[in-house]
Amino acid sequence: MRTDIAILGFGVVGAGTAKVLEMNKEEIARRTGTEIYVKHILDLRDFPDSPFADRVTHNADEVFGDKDIKIAVETIGGARVAYEYTKRALSAGITVVTSNKELVSTHGVELLKIAKENGCQYLFEAAVGGGIPIIRPLYRCLAANKVVRIAGIVNGTTNYILTQMKDNGISLEEAVSQAQQNGYAEANPAADLEGIDAQRKLSILSTIALDGTYVAPSSIDAKGITEITTDDIEFAKKIGCELKLIALFENKEGSKPVAYVAPTYVSRSSLIASVEGVFNAIMVEGNALGESLFYGQGAGAVPTASAVCGDILEAAAGDKMPDSRLWEDKGEAIEAYDDVKASIVVRAPEIPVTAFSEYDSVRLDGAVIVNDIAHKDIDRLIAGIPGAKWMHYLK
Amino acid sequence: MRTDIAILGFGVVGAGTAKVLEMNKEEIARRTGTEIYVKHILDLRDFPDSPFADRVTHNADEVFGDKDIKIAVETIGGARVAYEYTKRALSAGITVVTSNKELVSTHGVELLKIAKENGCQYLFEAAVGGGIPIIRPLYRCLAANKVVRIAGIVNGTTNYILTQMKDNGISLEEAVSQAQQNGYAEANPAADLEGIDAQRKLSILSTIALDGTYVAPSSIDAKGITEITTDDIEFAKKIGCELKLIALFENKEGSKPVAYVAPTYVSRSSLIASVEGVFNAIMVEGNALGESLFYGQGAGAVPTASAVCGDILEAAAGDKMPDSRLWEDKGEAIEAYDDVKASIVVRAPEIPVTAFSEYDSVRLDGAVIVNDIAHKDIDRLIAGIPGAKWMHYLK
């Protein structure tokens, strides 16, 4: 048997997907009983040196009009052309597999609905955590859990930069340019540095954790690492922490769900603190499972393609999309950031003994951990402490 | 809709399963569109104080003769009664979900075949790694990968004991009795301490990694931690390692696959080295994915029940078992232990400069890391070095 697929956008991940399918074709055929055949590659460019050069077309009609195509891999990126092509494919009953977190997080509600209506699927394992299996485990393995918390390092670029700053004592600017030289940051790294990429991924994870109640990226407060100094990093060592950009989701009994992205002092007792360089790690806490961590390469052509291929094989098996995979936009799904109660670290040359007396707090050398403090109260409370600075804290 | 299930054996995991199904019944109903109803609980004992007391029966015929039962949860353990009941259920077309690594690793070939022949499934996510999703990610998410290596801490009891020895400087005997007091080790902890539990789990993981080519537990060399001393643990610190009981599978290009269980010095640069206490962690390396780690609670009633419930929900969805899930016993699937080439640490008061000159080796303070040395050659090579001791090494 043969399953014909099309790849839309032959960039890093698209080409990686073709490569992985070729590299492991024997394993794939044995496991699925079908050969996955890349019939069309839709791109504006030509790739004369690629072994797939003969499959490249610039004509979208040729791809979407081909009745043999059962699966389209959307690796264009962005939410414009990718959005149009994804709608067109799904409307034609073609299952779409993607690594495009921007598109999934922005238009997931609509695209999943179109997929359902047309008897196909919209799959996006590769959109979060690169090659790390996380979307499917959340849906499948944790099906009998209520997800009470997700805490993740979901952006490899910023984790690489923070690791370099720590290990080599260099400034943010130096670390960014080093990351660019090594291919770990884009020429314009704003989406990574400002936490926008993490915000999109957290939108997807939170929505799944809430059984499809859509958490829009725009509703998630995201601070990036643009203001992080070598001082902030040095201070982490002093209090037994590592400074990480954390995407946090919480759904405690009796409160509204919470989701935000912020640079965070992570206690070294947590395995997440040990995640270095471009790696990603996502800690999921289920009410039955307890804590579970998923760790691996969060980016890169071949690891991400590995996740794309996992979805292709699932799609090739022809499973129907269950109703429970639909997303629904019910408006405000999460608590307003100002009202969210967080754990923070406040540091200052001198902190008055009475400073946070009404809070559950722990005194450290030159700092205080303050628990359950509403974001809106933080500035007021530290205003009276000369030189005070605060950051989120994760135990 | 309602799906009726039976629980065979109402011990720790069986009762945990009933509890998780009850605790998260709303989530489960919403996600699967079906209510999972525990209709029968088969056990020799009565449980007058359990909320499920009215479902308990001592009569197997009542359970297996009930045409409503679609799924049986086998949480009896062992390979005798559990074996008989599993065969009986599968032969009647009832899908069996289990946490029983002994049974899966010993009779998996036969039981999967019976399941296939009778149009049902035999699912065992909970047999390895407790609550950690590992079996399904291996099958599903890594479907497009060749698995080249698995290195896991798969036994929480021994990891707890090793952690206690390290943290508190106590002997193996003391640590074992502490583990027993805290409920982390059984009254007879031999299966854990001697590496037999890890051997069974590695048998399952290796078989899946080899696409169903059965790796019998008896073919896997397993050393436990029974001879580990506080000295061994102290020495780990000196060379920047942690001593862990590692279940290792390797499938390198051009060699026969390798599988064994052994106490191993793990370099602190590996995330596995940071896994403490009763936690489990399994590092999987795919040829596309690269390294990925799955971490979480490897035992305990409710976490393990979480994995059992994940399988129940998959079974309730009524998927057919793909042919590729069958196992086949082709005889010697792995290299004989004596011929396996390993990385080891040799330590001695004095190691001659010429000692391992024909090997790729790295000198440390009071020790040498020797790579690619066949197990059968180790004893001969260290025989001439007074006071020499060796252990496996993992980078």
Side-chain angles (χ1 to χ4, degrees):
Chain A
M1 214 184 97
R2 196 178 100 170
T3 304
D4 289 349
I5 73 165
I7 295 178
L8 316 176
F10 205 57
V12 171
V13 179
T17 299
K19 186 178 160 184
V20 171
L21 289 172
E22 180 62 29
M23 177 168 88
N24 292 331
K25 67 181 171 190
E26 280 172 40
E27 279 82 6
I28 291 169
R30 192 164 57 227
R31 289 170 194 168
T32 62
T34 183
E35 177 199 349
I36 306 293
Y37 179 74
V38 180
K39 192 172 176 192
H40 304 295
I41 292 167
L42 181 63
D43 203 294
L44 296 176
R45 299 163 291 178
D46 278 308
F47 300 89
D49 301 329
S50 162
F52 299 93
D54 58 319
R55 332 272 174 91
V56 176
T57 174
H58 312 305
N59 180 359
D61 293 340
E62 192 188 334
V63 176
F64 297 113
D66 185 339
K67 294 288 166 220
D68 291 341
I69 298 295
K70 296 285 176 288
I71 301 164
V73 176
E74 184 271 293
T75 42
I76 301 165
R80 300 177 53 149
V81 178
Y83 177 50
E84 291 313 318
Y85 282 172
T86 299
K87 277 202 288 191
R88 195 165 162 189
L90 295 174
S91 302
I94 297 170
T95 284
V96 175
V97 170
T98 191
S99 61
N100 187 338
K101 46 244 163 204
E102 182 178 351
L103 188 59
V104 175
S105 65
T106 315
H107 295 291
V109 174
E110 179 191 8
L111 295 171
L112 284 161
K113 186 159 170 272
I114 298 175
K116 182 75 195 167
E117 286 167 356
N118 291 280
C120 55
Q121 297 194 75
Y122 185 44
L123 299 171
F124 43 83
E125 175 63 69
V128 184
I132 310 171
I134 179 67
I135 303 291
R136 195 173 290 107
L138 269 179
Y139 273 130
R140 294 263 181 172
C141 310
L142 302 178
N145 279 262
K146 184 186 163 197
V147 177
V148 293
R149 194 196 212 192
I150 297 172
I153 295 171
V154 294
N155 181 273
T157 303
T158 47
N159 202 53
Y160 176 83
I161 290 167
L162 292 173
T163 304
Q164 292 302 107
M165 288 176 73
K166 182 192 70 169
D167 288 351
N168 306 324
I170 56 177
S171 70
L172 179 70
E173 291 67 32
E174 287 174 284
V176 169
S177 81
Q178 211 172 90
Q180 285 168 324
Q181 278 161 34
N182 292 324
Y184 295 143
E186 293 174 50
N188 178 359
D192 291 321
L193 299 188
E194 291 169 8
I196 296 166
D197 177 75
Q199 183 188 47
R200 288 169 181 153
K201 290 166 176 167
L202 183 58
S203 152
I204 298 171
L205 293 174
S206 303
T207 301
I208 295 173
L210 291 174
D211 276 326
T213 297
Y214 179 55
V215 179
S218 57
S219 72
I220 295 175
D221 190 273
K223 284 179 191 49
I225 64 163
T226 49
E227 288 170 26
I228 298 300
T229 65
T230 41
D231 256 18
D232 295 332
I233 307 250
E234 276 304 309
F235 184 75
K237 294 181 191 168
K238 227 179 119 181
I239 56 169
C241 289
E242 300 280 345
L243 184 59
K244 297 290 179 192
L245 184 64
I246 295 292
L248 186 78
F249 165 84
E250 276 185 339
N251 191 14
K252 290 185 202 153
E253 206 66 54
S255 330
K256 236 181 148 175
V258 160
Y260 57 87
V261 176
T264 302
Y265 285 126
V266 181
S267 161
R268 281 218 195 94
S269 64
S270 168
L271 211 58
I272 288 192
S274 308
V275 174
E276 306 247 292
V278 291
F279 282 84
N280 280 196
I282 299 164
M283 180 74 81
V284 179
E285 188 181 339
N287 70 341
L289 174 67
E291 282 193 349
S292 190
L293 183 93
F294 301 84
Y295 163 91
Q297 299 197 39
V302 175
T304 306
S306 158
V308 169
C309 291
D311 276 351
I312 293 173
L313 300 191
E314 173 151 331
D319 296 343
K320 289 264 176 280
M321 179 176 146
D323 284 341
S324 56
R325 296 287 171 96
L326 285 169
W327 290 2
E328 194 187 346
D329 190 349
K330 300 177 182 168
E332 285 167 24
I334 56 172
E335 182 74 283
Y337 181 75
D338 278 354
D339 294 325
V340 169
K341 289 184 173 176
S343 288
I344 64 170
V345 174
V346 178
R347 70 184 208 258
E350 236 173 295
I351 302 176
V353 185
T354 55
F356 301 97
S357 51
E358 71 260 52
Y359 291 93
D360 167 27
S361 64
V362 182
R363 292 251 153 194
L364 304 172
D365 181 20
V368 185
I369 296 169
V370 186
N371 293 309
D372 274 329
I373 182 168
H375 284 131
K376 65 178 170 212
D377 296 329
I378 297 174
D379 286 341
R380 181 174 51 79
L381 277 160
I382 69 169
I385 308 173
K389 202 169 170 181
W390 73 275
M391 199 88 76
H392 283 92
Y393 175 75
L394 185 69
K395 204 180 169 175
Chain B
M1 214 186 96
R2 196 177 100 169
T3 304
D4 289 348
I5 74 166
I7 296 178
L8 317 176
F10 205 56
V12 171
V13 178
T17 299
K19 186 178 159 185
V20 171
L21 289 172
E22 179 63 29
M23 177 167 87
N24 292 331
K25 66 180 171 191
E26 281 172 40
E27 279 81 6
I28 291 169
R30 192 165 55 226
R31 289 171 194 166
T32 62
T34 184
E35 177 198 352
I36 307 292
Y37 179 73
V38 180
K39 192 171 176 191
H40 304 295
I41 293 167
L42 181 64
D43 203 295
L44 296 175
R45 300 162 291 178
D46 279 308
F47 300 88
D49 301 329
S50 162
F52 299 93
D54 58 319
R55 331 273 173 89
V56 176
T57 173
H58 311 306
N59 180 0
D61 295 338
E62 191 188 336
V63 175
F64 297 114
D66 185 340
K67 294 289 168 217
D68 292 340
I69 296 294
K70 297 284 176 289
I71 301 164
V73 176
E74 184 270 294
T75 42
I76 300 165
R80 300 177 55 150
V81 179
Y83 178 51
E84 292 312 318
Y85 282 172
T86 299
K87 277 203 287 191
R88 194 166 163 188
L90 295 173
S91 302
I94 298 170
T95 283
V96 175
V97 169
T98 190
S99 61
N100 187 338
K101 46 246 163 203
E102 182 178 352
L103 187 59
V104 175
S105 65
T106 315
H107 296 290
V109 174
E110 179 192 8
L111 295 172
L112 284 161
K113 186 160 171 274
I114 299 175
K116 182 75 195 168
E117 287 167 355
N118 291 280
C120 56
Q121 298 194 75
Y122 185 44
L123 299 171
F124 41 84
E125 176 62 70
V128 184
I132 309 172
I134 178 67
I135 303 291
R136 194 172 291 108
L138 269 180
Y139 274 130
R140 294 262 181 172
C141 310
L142 302 178
N145 279 262
K146 184 186 162 196
V147 177
V148 293
R149 195 197 213 191
I150 297 174
I153 294 170
V154 293
N155 182 273
T157 303
T158 46
N159 202 53
Y160 176 83
I161 289 166
L162 293 173
T163 304
Q164 292 301 108
M165 288 176 72
K166 182 192 69 168
D167 288 351
N168 307 323
I170 56 177
S171 71
L172 180 71
E173 291 67 32
E174 287 173 283
V176 169
S177 82
Q178 212 173 88
Q180 286 168 323
Q181 278 161 34
N182 293 324
Y184 295 142
E186 292 174 51
N188 178 0
D192 291 321
L193 299 187
E194 291 169 9
I196 296 166
D197 177 75
Q199 184 188 46
R200 289 170 180 151
K201 290 166 176 168
L202 183 59
S203 151
I204 297 171
L205 293 174
S206 303
T207 301
I208 295 173
L210 291 173
D211 276 325
T213 297
Y214 178 56
V215 179
S218 57
S219 72
I220 295 175
D221 190 273
K223 283 178 192 50
I225 63 163
T226 48
E227 287 170 27
I228 298 301
T229 64
T230 41
D231 256 17
D232 296 331
I233 307 251
E234 275 304 309
F235 184 74
K237 295 181 190 167
K238 226 179 121 180
I239 56 169
C241 289
E242 299 280 345
L243 185 59
K244 298 290 178 192
L245 184 64
I246 296 292
L248 186 78
F249 165 84
E250 276 185 338
N251 192 13
K252 290 186 201 152
E253 206 64 55
S255 329
K256 236 181 149 175
V258 160
Y260 56 88
V261 175
T264 301
Y265 285 126
V266 181
S267 160
R268 283 217 194 94
S269 64
S270 168
L271 211 58
I272 288 192
S274 309
V275 174
E276 307 247 292
V278 291
F279 282 84
N280 279 198
I282 300 163
M283 181 74 80
V284 179
E285 188 181 339
N287 69 342
L289 174 67
E291 283 193 348
S292 189
L293 183 94
F294 301 83
Y295 164 92
Q297 299 196 38
V302 174
T304 306
S306 157
V308 168
C309 290
D311 277 351
I312 293 173
L313 300 191
E314 172 150 331
D319 296 344
K320 288 264 174 281
M321 178 175 146
D323 283 342
S324 56
R325 298 285 171 96
L326 285 170
W327 290 3
E328 193 186 346
D329 190 348
K330 300 176 183 171
E332 285 168 25
I334 55 173
E335 183 73 283
Y337 181 75
D338 277 354
D339 294 325
V340 169
K341 289 185 173 175
S343 288
I344 64 170
V345 174
V346 179
R347 70 183 208 257
E350 236 172 296
I351 302 175
V353 185
T354 56
F356 300 97
S357 51
E358 71 260 52
Y359 291 93
D360 167 28
S361 63
V362 182
R363 291 251 153 195
L364 304 172
D365 181 22
V368 185
I369 296 169
V370 186
N371 294 309
D372 274 328
I373 182 167
H375 285 130
K376 65 179 169 209
D377 295 329
I378 297 173
D379 286 342
R380 180 176 50 80
L381 278 161
I382 68 169
I385 309 171
K389 201 168 172 183
W390 74 275
M391 199 89 76
H392 283 92
Y393 175 75
L394 185 69
K395 204 180 170 176

